[in-house]
Amino acid sequence: MLSESSLFLKGVLLGSVFCVLITMLGHIKIDYGKRTHHHERHHLQAPNKEDILKISEDERTELSKSFRVYCIILVKPKDVRLWAAVKETWAKHCDKAEFFSSENVKVFESVNMETNDMWLMMRKAYKYAFDKYRDQYNWFFLAHPTTFAIIENLKYFLLKKNSSQPFYLGHTAKSGDLEYVSVGGGIVLSIESIKRLNSLLSIPEKCPEKGRMVREVSEDKQLAVCLKYAGVFAENAEDSKGKDVFNTKSVGIFIREAMTNHPNQVVEGCCSDMAITFNGLTCNQMYVMMYGVYHLRAFGHVFNDVLVFLPVNGSDND
Amino acid sequence: MSEIHFREMASKSWLNILTFLCGSAVGFVLCSQLLSILLEEQKDIQPSILHNDPHARHSDDSEQNHLEGQMNFDADASQHKDENTDIAEKLYQKVKILCWVMTGPQNLEKKAKHVKATWAQRCNKVLFMSSEENKDFPAVGLKTREGRDQLYWKTIKAFQYVHDHYLEDADWFMKADDDTYVILDNLRWLLSKYNPEEPIYFGRRFKPYVKQGYMSGGAGYVLSKEALKRFVEAFKTDKCTHSSSIEDLALGRCMEIINVEAGDSRDTTGKETFHPFVPEHHLIKGYLPRTFWYWNYNYYPPVEGPGCCSDLAVSFHYVDPTTMYELEYLVYHLRPYGYLYRYQPALPEKILKEQQNIPPLILNNLH
């Protein structure tokens, strides 16, 4: 009996050591992957200012209205507070925003996906969105409720991009050979991309509902695999200086990290002026961002913008 | 005999292997669970400290708020190619503000450094006031001691120093803490409607103890040139007391005695511009408990939620270093492209007059 229990304990020890090793290796691999593959990423830039200014006044108004963005926010019951915050803040700036939940939650209006699996939720949401809204919207933005998005900056970024081309953009990352858009920073699909995705969803060999790996593969990677079959490739969105506009972290984290890594220097500003998303926000931070973005500003700084976006009707925090 | 023994041994070793494998599986699962919990906990954000005393200032900082480096958002100037700052620059010339920042030897590197890296650059002149001189930073030595009970004495000496050395270099004189974030452009907009030769001062107006109200110390307050002259004079002639443990209240009492008006700093829609806390504390309904002193102190009806804070806010207090840079980014950099803000404040008269100054006659003669 004694020898057996000691054997058992030795097994437990080995198992935990193995687990720690794998976790550490996993972390190192991701970091290494980011560094070496940086130059292999596909980059997509914001519009060139010179091109824009040639557009006339009337064309500008027409242009502003030509972007129709449909927002998909995937929520679970545990996200209820964030859900409410998103609904009351940035989601109002989407041309239409709908919440897709794993199950029905009282008082909260949502489209019930009836599944806890994130990849299944994502597939069903895209299918629903395409089936119902393919004629009304030309860009589809998907996010988690931890993300804060500035839809006006998204529309500015899409300025010279034709939605009938297969665009799939956001903050990209690499997993082995696969370049995918991280769901944390938000995923943007043009109508062409979602159309192609939709035709593949019914083909299990290309777009399986269950991943082939033993370990769970995150839904953003699964999406990338699927889209690849349709000839749609991930592109990292950047401003004219190469700064990411879709961010998987919050402003505060960026600042803290930059300062911790370079304690005795003055580092360059962390984030783009035209940033579209930040992730990892708390409910309170969503409201602070609304104030910080749509209200707080310095008097006497004037911009000559090509697009015009009016405030939302019946809203008090923007 | 030996065969049976052999079989027994074989089955026993199978059992052993099984036990071992079971153990390692259990170990693996437990460990992965533990690691995932640990890794998630690191993402927790520190809650902000709420001060239960209206006159509480500079609490002891937890180590987590200590930031080593500095960040310069203006390093990438290309992002501002289509930004027109004519009006801001005109106001900079017309409404000259001298800022002095209340700090101390222990806080130069911890706090004042980040003030210097962000908003202080926008003052027409900035001075860092400490109990002892520091030639490198640089900081002015007031030759006092440090401590909460010294705040008023430091304030008097600081204003005296400014009066003696820089009176003619500015129109308005702003006092802030090393954990106050000030938006100078908005302060200039506010002050542009007033004459610095008038005896008036602005800040977040509190109502208790002083009939005309007094200004919160931490949210910062700004004196007109005339107000500064009278303040310094009042100490020479003993009109105002030299000692008090409550800096902002004592200053407010003095202002009333010397007939300096407590101004209304709210914007044209009635929203407050000077804030005694960070935006989060004002914007989130219910963040400040109903029993908090704040609700009884505010001179004007206090508002929480989106109506709390002007688009053209002037100051926030209890701002830690990270939030300094966040505010810098939100005010001067991040913006919603093409967005037509709801609040469209009028151009100050001083600027309007200049715009109309091109005589039409001259233009006609050019043809």
Side-chain angles (χ1 to χ4, degrees):
Chain A
M1 198 56 215
L2 213 74
S3 66
E4 270 161 24
S5 54
S6 77
L7 210 65
F8 186 81
L9 285 171
K10 280 183 199 158
V12 171
L13 201 68
L14 188 73
S16 2
V17 168
F18 203 57
C19 173
V20 172
L21 277 171
I22 289 187
T23 315
M24 277 169 54
L25 272 170
H27 278 282
I28 295 169
K29 203 170 179 195
I30 293 169
D31 283 347
Y32 185 67
K34 274 191 188 147
R35 263 182 273 133
T36 54
H37 291 122
H38 187 81
H39 61 280
E40 284 174 33
R41 288 204 307 200
H42 294 92
H43 306 267
L44 197 61
Q45 289 228 326
N48 199 331
K49 289 170 176 104
E50 283 72 40
D51 291 341
I52 292 166
L53 292 173
K54 295 179 194 150
I55 307 174
S56 76
E57 222 22 86
D58 288 324
E59 280 177 335
R60 291 182 192 194
T61 320
E62 276 314 297
L63 198 53
S64 308
K65 293 192 191 142
S66 71
F67 302 97
R68 308 266 310 147
V69 175
Y70 176 84
C71 297
I72 297 170
I73 301 119
L74 302 177
V75 292
K76 287 192 160 170
K78 66 176 172 73
D79 303 321
V80 139
R81 288 191 68 215
L82 281 168
W83 182 347
V86 169
K87 185 155 195 252
E88 282 173 41
T89 58
W90 64 264
K92 292 188 280 191
H93 289 241
C94 302
D95 293 284
K96 186 172 181 68
E98 278 192 285
F99 294 83
F100 294 79
S101 57
S102 52
E103 58 190 73
N104 235 337
V105 176
K106 270 193 211 147
V107 179
F108 283 88
E109 218 180 276
S110 67
V111 184
N112 191 355
M113 299 281 90
E114 284 164 352
T115 171
N116 253 322
D117 183 281
M118 289 308 289
W119 171 228
L120 279 180
M121 270 179 80
M122 189 183 267
R123 294 169 57 105
K124 286 174 115 179
Y126 274 130
K127 179 157 181 18
Y128 175 95
F130 181 70
D131 288 342
K132 206 165 175 197
Y133 299 114
R134 54 147 79 88
D135 295 323
Q136 297 169 52
Y137 302 95
N138 48 10
W139 294 96
F140 295 80
F141 174 66
L142 183 144
H144 281 166
T146 48
T147 306
F148 182 87
I150 305 167
I151 302 297
E152 289 79 9
N153 289 352
L154 173 59
K155 291 184 177 180
Y156 173 59
F157 187 83
L158 298 174
L159 194 44
K160 289 243 148 189
K161 296 169 180 62
N162 189 345
S163 60
S164 53
Q165 296 289 308
F167 283 103
Y168 164 40
L169 45 97
H171 177 103
T172 56
K174 260 200 149 169
S175 175
D177 271 333
L178 179 73
E179 191 168 357
Y180 66 98
V181 172
S182 294
V183 65
I187 305 174
V188 178
L189 292 181
S190 61
I191 183 72
E192 176 62 25
S193 298
I194 199 176
K195 186 165 124 190
R196 293 192 193 183
L197 173 68
N198 201 59
S199 56
L200 277 185
L201 284 177
S202 43
I203 305 174
E205 297 85 49
K206 303 257 170 90
C207 231
E209 286 192 2
K210 274 280 177 197
R212 289 192 200 92
M213 317 283 139
V214 174
R215 258 206 113 173
E216 227 179 84
V217 178
S218 59
E219 70 275 22
D220 43 9
K221 292 191 193 117
Q222 304 244 38
L223 180 68
V225 170
C226 224
L227 283 171
K228 227 172 163 182
Y229 278 117
V232 180
F233 299 96
E235 287 173 293
N236 192 55
E238 299 160 8
D239 67 14
S240 50
K241 269 274 172 163
K243 284 206 183 86
D244 286 341
V245 287
F246 290 85
N247 297 292
T248 50
K249 297 185 242 198
S250 65
V251 183
I253 299 289
F254 272 117
I255 291 168
R256 262 190 278 263
E257 277 181 4
M259 314 280 247
T260 322
N261 294 336
H262 307 274
N264 291 316
Q265 293 170 36
V266 181
V267 299
E268 196 188 307
C270 69
C271 317
S272 174
D273 283 22
M274 291 288 115
I276 298 172
T277 60
F278 290 101
N279 191 35
L281 276 77
T282 63
C283 295
N284 287 1
Q285 285 170 334
M286 297 265 177
Y287 291 98
V288 175
M289 284 299 277
M290 281 306 272
Y291 172 70
V293 172
Y294 293 102
H295 285 281
L296 186 62
R297 57 195 189 274
F299 183 80
H301 295 245
V302 177
F303 295 87
N304 178 22
D305 290 341
V306 178
L307 301 173
V308 180
F309 299 112
L310 299 177
V312 179
N313 267 333
S315 175
D316 68 351
N317 59 7
D318 58 9
Chain B
M1 188 65 189
S2 63
E3 223 189 72
I4 299 167
H5 192 65
F6 180 71
R7 272 213 209 108
E8 255 183 37
M9 289 277 290
S11 67
K12 230 198 175 162
S13 65
W14 272 121
L15 195 67
N16 285 349
I17 291 171
L18 208 69
T19 316
F20 187 78
L21 283 174
C22 255
S24 44
V26 168
F28 193 90
V29 168
L30 278 174
C31 188
S32 66
Q33 286 303 306
L34 209 76
L35 278 175
S36 65
I37 294 171
L38 279 172
L39 290 172
E40 261 186 49
E41 264 180 20
Q42 278 172 22
K43 290 186 202 144
D44 276 347
I45 299 160
Q46 290 297 319
S48 282
I49 317 150
L50 252 190
H51 294 267
N52 208 8
D53 172 358
H55 303 114
R57 307 273 281 288
H58 321 291
S59 62
D60 289 319
D61 282 298
S62 58
E63 271 313 302
Q64 279 113 342
N65 285 333
H66 187 48
L67 275 186
E68 295 276 2
Q70 292 169 67
M71 190 172 272
N72 179 10
F73 285 99
D74 287 324
D76 177 12
S78 72
Q79 300 223 42
H80 294 261
K81 268 196 305 199
D82 37 304
E83 182 176 355
N84 184 325
T85 52
D86 281 352
I87 295 170
E89 282 165 32
K90 281 207 179 84
L91 277 177
Y92 183 89
Q93 299 301 327
K94 291 201 163 294
V95 185
K96 291 193 167 64
I97 303 178
L98 179 148
C99 312
W100 71 262
V101 180
M102 173 89 87
T103 185
Q106 330 289 50
N107 285 334
L108 288 180
E109 284 301 304
K110 275 189 356 186
K111 296 185 178 187
K113 174 170 84 168
H114 304 296
V115 166
K116 197 159 147 239
T118 57
W119 62 267
Q121 301 167 45
R122 299 189 185 92
C123 305
N124 295 75
K125 173 85 192 151
V126 64
L127 296 164
F128 290 89
M129 300 291 190
S130 172
S131 51
E132 28 178 283
E133 185 185 24
N134 182 311
K135 290 211 168 93
D136 297 318
F137 191 81
V140 172
L142 298 171
K143 299 194 192 75
T144 64
R145 287 174 291 127
E146 285 294 329
R148 223 221 268 188
D149 58 325
Q150 293 291 300
L151 279 178
Y152 188 46
W153 184 228
K154 279 174 84 176
T155 305
I156 298 171
K157 296 213 83 184
F159 272 124
Q160 216 148 39
Y161 181 90
V162 166
H163 174 272
D164 295 344
H165 295 86
Y166 297 102
L167 188 65
E168 297 312 320
D169 293 11
D171 306 308
W172 299 87
F173 302 85
M174 167 99 195
K175 176 261 176 188
D177 285 352
D178 51 19
D179 59 352
T180 308
Y181 183 85
V182 183
I183 304 166
L184 268 303
D185 300 77
N186 295 344
L187 182 57
R188 288 193 181 96
W189 175 78
L190 172 73
L191 297 175
S192 64
K193 308 180 200 75
Y194 298 92
N195 183 352
E197 313 297 329
E198 294 164 25
I200 192 167
Y201 81 125
F202 295 95
R204 169 62 81 112
R205 206 166 169 188
F206 282 162
K207 67 181 176 214
Y209 312 119
V210 182
K211 191 151 170 257
Q212 68 162 1
Y214 69 97
M215 305 306 173
S216 155
Y221 46 77
V222 55
L223 274 59
S224 68
K225 194 191 295 245
E226 178 59 27
L228 176 61
K229 282 185 191 162
R230 291 192 190 188
F231 183 67
V232 169
E233 184 67 24
F235 287 100
K236 293 199 179 127
T237 57
D238 270 339
K239 269 197 194 154
C240 288
T241 168
H242 283 65
S243 69
S244 163
S245 57
I246 306 174
E247 166 243 338
D248 45 12
L249 179 54
L251 189 126
R253 279 203 171 110
C254 186
M255 290 290 136
E256 193 167 66
I257 291 169
I258 59 181
N259 290 317
V260 170
E261 184 189 341
D264 179 355
S265 58
R266 295 176 301 169
D267 72 15
T268 52
T269 64
K271 294 200 179 82
E272 297 272 11
T273 53
F274 289 76
H275 302 281
F277 302 107
V278 290
E280 188 176 352
H281 292 36
H282 293 283
L283 286 164
I284 306 297
K285 289 197 175 127
Y287 196 110
L288 302 174
R290 283 281 128 204
T291 51
F292 203 51
W293 58 264
Y294 173 78
W295 303 106
N296 293 321
Y297 265 59
N298 217 49
Y299 189 91
Y300 304 106
V303 180
E304 55 178 0
C308 69
C309 315
S310 174
D311 284 23
L312 302 184
V314 170
S315 71
F316 294 99
H317 184 222
Y318 293 124
V319 178
D320 68 24
T322 306
T323 311
M324 284 271 170
Y325 294 103
E326 277 190 68
L327 284 169
E328 182 76 9
Y329 175 64
L330 289 174
V331 175
Y332 290 98
H333 298 269
L334 183 64
R335 66 184 187 93
Y337 189 85
Y339 189 69
L340 201 68
Y341 296 104
R342 287 183 202 271
Y343 183 47
Q344 295 292 331
L347 268 179
E349 255 187 55
K350 286 188 186 168
I351 303 287
L352 274 173
K353 279 189 200 145
E354 218 161 272
Q355 304 259 16
Q356 294 158 10
N357 253 353
I358 305 163
L361 254 122
I362 293 180
L363 282 175
N364 281 341
N365 281 345
L366 286 172
H367 287 289

